[in-house]
Amino acid sequence: GQNIDQPTEMTATEGAIVQINCTYQTSGFNGLFWYQQHAGEAPTFLSYNVLDGLEEKGRFSSFLSRSKGYSYLLLKELQMKDSASYLCAVRSVTGGSYIPTFGRGTSLIVHP
Amino acid sequence: NAGVTQTPKFRVLKTGQSMTLLCAQDMNHEYMYWYRQDPGMGLRLIHYSVGEGTTAKGEVPDGYNVSRLKKQNFLLGLESAAPSQTSVYFCASSLVGQGVYEQYFGPGTRLTVT
């Protein structure tokens, strides 16, 4: 089985930087995804890491350490619209199929 | 492109009733998935399909059945609904393989079982 842990809730101030951590235990690791989900909406893709290191995309960056089973999503210059749930998903190879498993999500509240 | 669509958007069922949720995608994706999302539980995989005519169980398959008769459609059935199946159901699709191949999600179906 897989075990994926994220903090349940975080709060931050507009304009600040916030780091959302995700730790995982899995066999057959084949990539880690971050998704954003606003209340009442579907998740949308933010980032993907399969090799160790940092991937940067504008205000969002994601980091992966496979040896430590650890990833983080870094959000810079926070805006009110960044208030959402952030989902970490680990893809593993199971019986030849590539299947993602999601953590419980981190609810981020950005206040003025 | 419509992407991933789901029908219906909302539904209220009585305990014991049956229903089918329809998911359609127009991106020619091989993989399709059904998830349920409950408060504090994240997205949990019910069933998935790696291609037309194939289905497999996910993390929480009990009480649900699925079919993938056409590549673009993935149906989720509840034969005898129970209050524990009150949830938001998301369908998703993706390409196959080791690349980025992120999932694309439908807008969700909010199901209440009374």
Side-chain angles (χ1 to χ4, degrees):
Chain A
Q2 300 194 51
N3 189 26
I4 302 169
D5 285 318
Q6 308 178 231
T8 302
E9 187 175 293
M10 299 181 71
T11 59
T13 304
E14 192 176 14
I17 298 172
V18 71
Q19 177 176 312
I20 302 174
N21 296 327
C22 173
T23 59
Y24 64 90
Q25 293 174 306
T26 188
S27 55
F29 176 84
N30 191 255
L32 187 143
F33 297 82
W34 285 96
Y35 288 84
Q36 180 189 60
Q37 185 179 24
H38 285 102
E41 298 182 7
T44 55
F45 170 73
L46 282 179
S47 69
Y48 170 76
N49 296 72
V50 68
L51 299 176
D52 291 352
L54 189 68
E55 294 283 341
E56 297 188 79
K57 255 188 181 183
R59 292 190 300 116
F60 293 3
S61 303
S62 57
F63 172 83
L64 175 68
S65 169
R66 288 171 296 170
S67 63
K68 295 182 179 175
Y70 169 69
S71 172
Y72 67 72
L73 180 70
L74 193 71
L75 291 75
K76 303 175 188 173
E77 300 169 15
L78 280 173
Q79 303 175 9
M80 298 297 290
K81 67 178 181 179
D82 296 329
S83 291
S85 184
Y86 292 86
L87 311 176
C88 171
V90 175
R91 186 172 65 191
S92 60
V93 181
T94 306
S97 299
Y98 298 79
I99 304 300
T101 299
F102 284 80
R104 297 190 175 195
T106 299
S107 177
L108 174 65
I109 301 168
V110 180
H111 55 83
Chain B
N1 285 355
V4 181
T5 57
Q6 291 182 232
T7 309
K9 289 187 168 51
F10 302 92
R11 186 72 186 267
V12 178
L13 286 180
K14 296 190 178 185
T15 298
Q17 288 184 320
S18 63
M19 78 164 293
T20 300
L21 282 67
L22 170 64
C23 177
Q25 53 96 3
D26 61 3
M27 296 173 283
N28 203 34
H29 286 170
E30 289 292 338
Y31 280 31
M32 295 188 75
Y33 318 77
W34 276 107
Y35 292 92
R36 60 177 290 171
Q37 187 172 42
D38 303 293
M41 296 299 293
L43 287 165
R44 292 184 292 170
L45 184 63
I46 305 171
H47 287 278
Y48 63 96
S49 168
V50 300
E52 182 178 317
T54 70
T55 63
K57 293 181 180 179
E59 182 186 353
V60 289
D62 293 343
Y64 305 94
N65 56 74
V66 288
S67 65
R68 183 118 181 253
L69 299 179
K70 293 183 179 181
K71 187 177 183 178
Q72 63 268 33
N73 295 337
F74 195 28
L75 278 64
L76 178 71
L78 286 73
E79 291 184 346
S80 179
S84 61
Q85 292 178 305
T86 293
S87 188
V88 180
Y89 292 85
F90 286 102
C91 175
S93 70
S94 71
L95 290 169
V96 182
Q98 302 195 54
V100 179
Y101 301 144
E102 71 272 27
Q103 291 172 296
Y104 292 79
F105 287 83
T109 295
R110 188 172 296 274
L111 174 67
T112 302
V113 183
T114 61

